[in-house]
Amino acid sequence: MDDGRAKAFHLLKPPCVDLSQTALGYKVRKSTAKDLLKCLERLTETLLAVSRSLDAKLADYVFFPLSHVFSESKELPPRLLEHALSCLRLLIRHGWRDHLSSEVGKQLLILLAFLAAGNNATDSKSKQVDEDVATIAFDCTASLFHSSVASSLGRNGAISPDNIPLLGHTLTVILDAISNSVATKVRLAACTSLLALIHGIDDEEALRNFFPGIVSCLAKVLSAGIRSKTPWKVLEACIQLLEETLCKVLSDSTLPSAVTTVRHSTASKTPTQRWTEATAGQVKIALSTVLPLRYHDRPDVQEALCTLCLSILTKCQTMLGDCTSMILEALVSLSSHAAPEVSRRRSQRLQQIFASNPELLDILKDSLYGWTVALPRVASSNDEIKQTRTLEQLSNAFRLLSAHGMDMKGFNDLVTSNLQSGVASAIKLSSPNAITSVANGNTELSRVFQFATSSRGDHMFSPVIFDSASQGNIASGFKMLVEQFEDSTMCTELQRSLTESLKNTTGIEQIAVLWLTVTLMTFQSLQNSENGEWLNLPTGHLESFAEETYSFSLEILDRSAYDDAVDWRLQALSLEIVALQAKAQGQCFRGELVDALYPILERMGSNNAALQHHAVTCLGVVSDSCEYPSASELVVQNADYLVNAIAVKLNTFDINPQASQVMLMMVRLCGSAIIPYLDDLTESIFAILASYHGYPRLVESLFEVLNAVVEEGARVSPRAIEPAAKTIPSPRRPYKPITIIDVVAQLQVLKKRPYHNCPSTRSPEPDPEISSIREPDETTQPSTSEDPSPPSKALTLVYTITQQTTHHLSTPSPALRRLLLTLIASSLPSLRPPSTTQADTDASFLPLVATLWPHITRQIFSPTPSTSQTTTPLADLPTLLTALQTLTIISQHGGSFLLSRFSDLLPKLQNLYRQLQQAMLHEEKTLGRSRASRSLKFKTWDQMVGLLVTMVVYVGITREMEDAVFEMLGGEALLRRREGVRDALEGLNPDAVWSLEEEGNSKKDEGWDEKWEKRKPVVDGWEFKDVEFR
C-alpha cells in the first residue's frame, strides 16, 4: 500500500467505524437519525478530501458501513438517504471506476432503482425531499453505467440473459420518471441516466429489445410538449436521447447485417428486413408527433430538433427512407423562421447535404409542389400562424432549389396562379380596412400640406392591405416568396402572368394581382438602385412590363376618385405604381406629369385618409424623382396644363367634385404663386354657381376653393404686409366738448411763446395741444397728390370673389352660409387700403362695406329668409356666431362710415343681446359656470359683447345711443370684467362706469364671490365712507 492509499485509509477508518456502529445501533434503536446524519456528513467530507487516492479496495471498505444504512432505507429520513447516495456516487466515480464486480453492480442497480422509484410520501415536504433522493439516485445510476458496464453488463460483448430483467426494470424506472415525474430536475437526471445506458450498451440485440419502449416513451413526452407546458430543457434532453437511440439502432452502418433473410433470422442476432420495415414504420409515426416541435418558441428546442433531422438524413437515410420527406419539410421550416444567423447556418448545412445527395432535391421539389397546391386553401383558413409558416416554407424551399439550379419548367404556371389565388384568399379573409374620413378643417389640411411640401427625404407608403400586426406577417411571407422570383427564370413568367391577369380580373382578384405587381416592381427597383441596372433579364421585357403596368394604373386613376365602382385600394396601389415608375425614370418622368399629376392632386382631396396619405406620399416621391425642390414647386411649374385641364371640366359644366378638389389642392400647395393663373377659373366657378346653386354639395365644394383663394391672396397681398400702424384702424376717440378752462389754458400757452417779427412764407405749424382738442375729422388730411399704386392681380381677384359671394348668402344651407361668412371675414383685412389713402378707401372699400352690410345683418336677425316659417336668431347659433364675428371685422375696418347704420340697427341689437344674455344665464344655472363658459351660447353672447365694444371704439356712438350701450355693456359684461368693456365705457362716461361698479359691489348676488375694488379718494387727514345704494 502506497503512502497516498495508506493516508486515505487512516482518514477513512474513523468515520467508517463510527458510521458502522451508529447504523447498527440505529437498528436496535440505540442511535438516532441525527447521530446517523452526523456520521454521514463526516464521511462525505472525508471522501471528498481523499477522492484522488481512492481505489476499488478502499471503495469496498467504505461501502460496508454504507450497506448497513441502505438496508434501513425504508425507515430512514430522505435527507439521510441523500447523504448516503452522495457517498455512493463518490465511490462509483473515484473508487470502483471500471473495476466494479458484476455482483456488486447488480446489487447497486437494484438498490438505485428502488430508491429512484421512491416511496408513497404524502406530505409535500417529504415529496420534495424524495425528488432530491430520486435525482441523486439517477445520477448514481448514470455514473454506474459509465464506470462499471464493461464488467457487469457486457460492454464489447453480449449481455448475459440474467442481466436483461435487471436492465429492463431499471429502464422502466427511468422511463417512468421521464414521462411521469413532476420535478424537472428528476426528469433531467433520468434523461442523463438513460443516455448513459444507451452509450454503455454495445449489445445491438439488447438495444433492439429496449428500442420500442424507449422511442414510445420519448415520443409521448415530446408530443405532449406541444400541447402542455413541458419544460424546454426536458424537451431538449428527450430530443437528444431520441437522436442517440435512432442513430445507434437504425444507423445505415448496420445495413449489411440488416438484410438478413427470414430463414436465417432465428440463428442470427442481426435484425431482419421485416423487423427493419416494421420498425421504420413505427418510427415514422413517432417522428410525425415529434416534428411539430419545430414551431416551439425556444431556440434550444429547435436546435436540438434540427440536429436530430440532420442526423437522420446523414446517418439513417436508408433505414428511415420513408421519413425523408417530412424530415426535409421540418428542416426547411426550421431554417425559415429562425434568427438570421441561425437560419443562414442551417440553410448552408442543408445545401451541403443536397450537394452530397442530389436525390433529396427531387423529394424537396415534390414537397414544394404540395405546398404550392395547398397555398390557396391555407390562405383562406383562419389560422394565421399556419399561413405564415406555409409561406416561409415555400420561400425557403424555392431558394434552396434555385441555389442548386433545379429545373422548374412545368412548375411556373402552377406557382403564379396559386400565388395570385392565395393573395386574393388572404385579402377576402382579412377584415376590410376601415375608411377613415379626413376632417375638413384647416388643421388637418395644414398637416398634409406640410408633409407634402417638406424637404426631400424618404417617403414610405403605408400598407394598403394586410395592415394589422398579424396580417403584416402574412404580407411579409408573400413578399418573401415574390422576392425569390426576381433573380430566377420564373420572373419573366410571373411578369407575363401578372400583366394578363390585370386585364382579365376584377374586384379582389384584381387588387391581389396589382399588389403582387407592386411588390415585384419594388424589389426590382431596390435592386436597380443597388446595382445600377435592372435584373439580369431582357431589358425590353422589363420595360414592357413596367409600361403596361403603368398604363393600367393611369387608366384606374383617370376614373374619378368619387366613383364607387373603383375600390380605393386599387387607386392606392396605382399611385404606388406611378411612384415606382417615377423612381425608375428619374428626371425623364417630367414628361409624364401631363397625365399623372392631375389624378395625384385629385386623390389628395379625398375624404379617405389612407388614400389621401398615399397621394401625398406619391407626390413627394414624384417630386424627388423629377428633382424638383419641393412638391409646391412641381405644381407651380406645371400649373399651365393643370389649369387647362380644370378649365375644360368647368367650362363643360362638369359638376363632379373632381375639378374643384384638384383646384383646392393646387391652391393649398402653391399658395399665392398659383393665384395669377386662376382668374378665368374663378369666372367659370361663378358661372357654375349661378347655374347649379340648387346642388348644396357642389356649391360647398366650389366655395371651399374660393375660400382657399381668398385666404392665400389675402395672406400675401401688398396691403397685408404694410406696417401694423397703417393696416389696423386706430380706435375712434370719444367726443369731448371744449370748455372755457381749455381755452384759457391754451391762451396762456400762446403768451409764453416768443414773438417773431420776420415774415415767413411757411404756414405756422399747428400746436400739438391745439390739435389734441380738435375733432378727429378736423385734422389735416395727408397729401394725396401721388396716385396710389394699383391693386395687385391677386387682390383684385379677392375683391371680385368677396363681392360676388354676397349673392349666395341666401342659401338655405347653414354650413354653406358659415363658409361664405368666413370667406368675407378673411378678405376684408386685405381689401381695406392703408389709412393714408383715405380717398381710395372711400372709392373702393366703403362701397363694398355698404354692399355687405344688409347681407351680413340679415344673417344675424333673419337667418333663413328663404323660408316662410318664422325663426329666431338663436335657432342657428353657429351661423349667428359666425355672422357676429364677420360684422365685428366689418365694424373695425368700416369706422365712422357705419355710424348711421348702427344707429338704425340699435333696437334690434338690444333685443338680440337680451335674448343671448338670458340664454347664457340659463345655461349657467343648468350646467354650472365652468362648463357653461365652454358652451356655444356663452361664446355667442361673448361675441355679441365684442361687437358692441368694437362699435363704441371704432365706429363711435351718438348721445342718443349712449344709454342703450350702457344698458347692454354696463350689466353682466362689466361685472364679469370682459376684456375691453371697461375701457370702452370709460371713454364715454367715467362717472357712469364708477356708479355701475359701486352698484354692483353693493348687490348681494350669490352667484358672484368677487367684487370690484373700491376706488375712494385719498386726501391727507380725511377718510371717505363707502357709498350705499338703496
Side-chain angles (χ1 to χ4, degrees), residues 186-365:
V186 175
R187 302 176 78 173
L188 292 176
C191 289
T192 304
S193 179
L194 179 58
L195 185 62
L197 174 63
I198 296 172
H199 283 163
I201 298 179
D202 289 340
D203 190 342
E204 297 179 359
E205 184 178 2
L207 282 177
R208 285 197 296 271
N209 292 332
F210 299 145
F211 180 78
I214 296 175
V215 174
S216 176
C217 174
L218 295 178
K220 177 183 176 182
V221 174
L222 293 174
S223 61
I226 304 172
R227 301 181 300 271
S228 62
K229 296 182 178 179
T230 306
W232 66 268
K233 290 185 178 181
V234 175
L235 295 177
E236 181 185 15
C238 289
I239 293 174
Q240 293 172 352
L241 280 172
L242 185 61
E243 177 196 356
E244 292 293 334
T245 305
L246 293 177
C247 292
K248 193 161 187 178
V249 177
L250 297 178
S251 175
D252 291 343
S253 61
T254 62
L255 188 61
S257 61
V259 222
T260 308
T261 59
V262 180
R263 188 166 45 127
H264 299 90
S265 62
T266 55
S268 175
K269 296 183 179 180
T270 58
T272 63
Q273 185 174 359
R274 181 180 299 176
W275 181 90
T276 303
E277 292 176 354
T279 303
Q282 295 300 316
V283 170
K284 182 178 181 180
I285 296 175
L287 286 176
S288 65
T289 63
V290 173
L291 291 179
L293 283 173
R294 61 183 179 267
Y295 302 122
H296 199 277
D297 54 353
R298 285 294 303 189
D300 307 79
V301 177
Q302 296 179 10
E303 185 63 29
L305 187 63
C306 182
T307 304
L308 169 64
C309 295
L310 291 173
S311 298
I312 292 175
L313 283 183
T314 55
K315 300 178 182 179
C316 310
Q317 182 180 355
T318 304
M319 299 288 281
L320 297 178
D322 294 341
C323 305
T324 304
S325 178
M326 62 179 182
I327 292 296
L328 278 178
E329 293 179 5
L331 283 172
V332 170
S333 178
L334 285 169
S335 60
S336 300
H337 58 268
E341 184 63 29
V342 177
S343 178
R344 183 167 54 254
R345 176 169 49 82
R346 293 174 183 173
S347 298
Q348 291 174 354
R349 186 74 180 95
L350 262 177
Q351 290 176 2
Q352 293 173 1
I353 294 177
F354 290 146
S356 60
N357 192 355
E359 295 178 357
L360 295 177
L361 292 172
D362 294 328
I363 299 177
L364 181 59
K365 185 177 179 180

Side-chain angles (χ1 to χ4, degrees), residues 14-210:
C16 288
V17 172
D18 291 343
L19 178 61
S20 179
Q21 293 176 355
T22 306
L24 293 175
Y26 184 80
K27 291 182 180 181
V28 295
R29 300 294 185 271
K30 291 184 179 180
S31 302
T32 62
K34 187 176 182 180
D35 298 333
L36 194 59
L37 179 61
K38 290 181 179 179
C39 294
L40 287 172
E41 290 176 348
R42 181 182 175 190
L43 179 60
T44 303
E45 294 176 358
T46 306
L47 285 173
L48 289 173
V50 300
S51 60
R52 294 185 178 182
S53 301
L54 290 176
D55 58 7
K57 292 184 179 181
L58 288 176
D60 291 337
Y61 175 77
V62 176
F63 180 71
F64 177 77
L66 285 176
S67 62
H68 297 311
V69 177
F70 289 126
S71 64
E72 299 294 326
S73 60
K74 292 185 178 179
E75 305 296 333
L76 293 176
R79 189 177 179 187
L80 283 174
L81 290 177
E82 183 181 351
H83 280 278
L85 287 172
S86 298
C87 295
L88 180 61
R89 181 173 56 186
L90 290 172
L91 294 179
I92 295 173
R93 291 180 179 178
H94 303 287
W96 286 308
R97 297 186 183 94
D98 294 337
H99 304 289
L100 184 65
S101 64
S102 177
E103 292 301 323
V104 175
K106 292 178 183 180
Q107 294 176 9
L108 291 179
L109 269 182
I110 295 173
L111 172 66
L112 292 174
F114 173 77
L115 294 177
N119 52 30
N120 297 324
T122 55
D123 62 292
S124 59
K125 183 176 180 180
S126 299
K127 186 176 181 181
Q128 180 65 30
V129 175
D130 284 345
E131 292 172 358
D132 296 333
V133 172
T135 301
I136 195 170
F138 282 126
D139 288 343
C140 291
T141 305
S143 300
L144 185 64
F145 285 135
H146 281 304
S147 62
S148 63
V149 74
S151 58
S152 61
L153 300 180
R155 173 179 281 184
N156 301 323
I159 296 179
S160 173
D162 297 337
N163 295 335
I164 295 296
L166 177 58
L167 287 175
H169 173 69
T170 305
L171 183 62
T172 302
V173 174
I174 293 175
L175 294 179
D176 181 69
I178 292 175
S179 58
N180 298 325
S181 180
V182 179
T184 302
K185 60 182 180 181
V186 175
R187 302 176 78 173
L188 292 176
C191 289
T192 304
S193 179
L194 179 58
L195 185 62
L197 174 63
I198 296 172
H199 283 163
I201 298 179
D202 289 340
D203 190 342
E204 297 179 359
E205 184 178 2
L207 282 177
R208 285 197 296 271
N209 292 332
F210 299 145

Side-chain angles (χ1 to χ4, degrees), residues 725-970:
K726 296 183 179 180
T727 57
I728 300 178
S730 56
R732 181 179 177 86
R733 291 187 299 174
Y735 170 76
K736 182 180 180 181
I738 300 176
T739 62
I740 295 297
I741 298 176
D742 297 330
V743 175
V744 172
Q746 187 60 31
L747 291 175
Q748 291 176 353
V749 171
L750 293 176
K751 286 181 179 180
K752 296 178 181 179
R753 288 186 178 180
Y755 179 75
H756 297 281
N757 245 342
C758 58
S760 176
T761 57
R762 293 186 306 169
S763 59
E765 296 181 359
D767 187 80
E769 295 188 10
I770 297 178
S771 300
S772 64
I773 62 174
R774 292 179 179 175
E775 286 290 336
D777 293 341
E778 297 174 0
T779 58
T780 305
Q781 298 294 333
S783 175
T784 58
S785 58
E786 296 182 0
D787 295 334
S789 60
S792 64
K793 194 172 184 179
L795 201 60
T796 303
L797 185 61
V798 171
Y799 187 92
T800 304
I801 293 174
T802 305
Q803 192 176 35
Q804 297 193 30
T805 298
T806 56
H807 304 299
H808 298 270
L809 282 172
S810 58
T811 176
S813 171
L816 182 56
R817 292 202 305 272
R818 290 194 293 271
L819 178 62
L820 300 181
L821 291 170
T822 304
L823 185 152
I824 294 173
S826 301
S827 65
L828 285 176
S830 62
L831 293 176
R832 182 185 182 277
S835 58
T836 55
T837 57
Q838 189 67 30
D840 187 44
T841 303
D842 297 339
S844 59
F845 182 72
L846 295 183
L848 178 62
V849 171
T851 304
L852 294 174
W853 179 267
H855 298 282
I856 304 301
T857 54
R858 191 178 298 119
Q859 297 303 313
I860 297 177
F861 301 105
S862 301
T864 55
S866 59
T867 60
S868 57
Q869 299 178 355
T870 303
T871 58
T872 62
L874 272 63
D876 186 7
L877 283 178
T879 304
L880 176 59
L881 176 61
T882 308
L884 289 174
Q885 293 171 347
T886 305
L887 190 60
T888 301
I889 295 177
I890 293 177
S891 304
Q892 184 178 1
H893 295 278
S896 59
F897 175 74
L898 300 175
L899 179 59
S900 60
R901 289 172 172 79
F902 268 109
S903 178
D904 298 338
L905 199 64
L906 193 59
K908 292 184 178 181
L909 289 176
Q910 285 183 278
N911 186 30
L912 178 60
Y913 182 85
R914 294 190 191 100
Q915 296 180 32
L916 289 174
Q917 180 170 295
Q918 184 179 1
M920 182 268 296
L921 293 176
H922 181 268
E923 192 85 355
E924 286 187 347
K925 292 180 181 179
T926 305
L927 302 178
R929 187 177 305 164
S930 177
R931 293 179 58 189
S933 62
R934 297 187 296 269
S935 66
L936 188 60
K937 292 181 180 179
F938 181 87
K939 293 178 181 179
T940 308
W941 170 82
D942 186 71
Q943 185 58 49
M944 182 67 186
V945 173
L947 172 62
L948 295 175
V949 171
T950 303
M951 177 188 70
V952 174
V953 174
Y954 291 95
V955 178
I957 62 174
T958 61
R959 290 291 183 183
E960 292 77 11
M961 300 170 62
E962 186 172 325
D963 292 339
V965 170
F966 267 94
E967 178 185 351
M968 292 184 285
L969 295 180

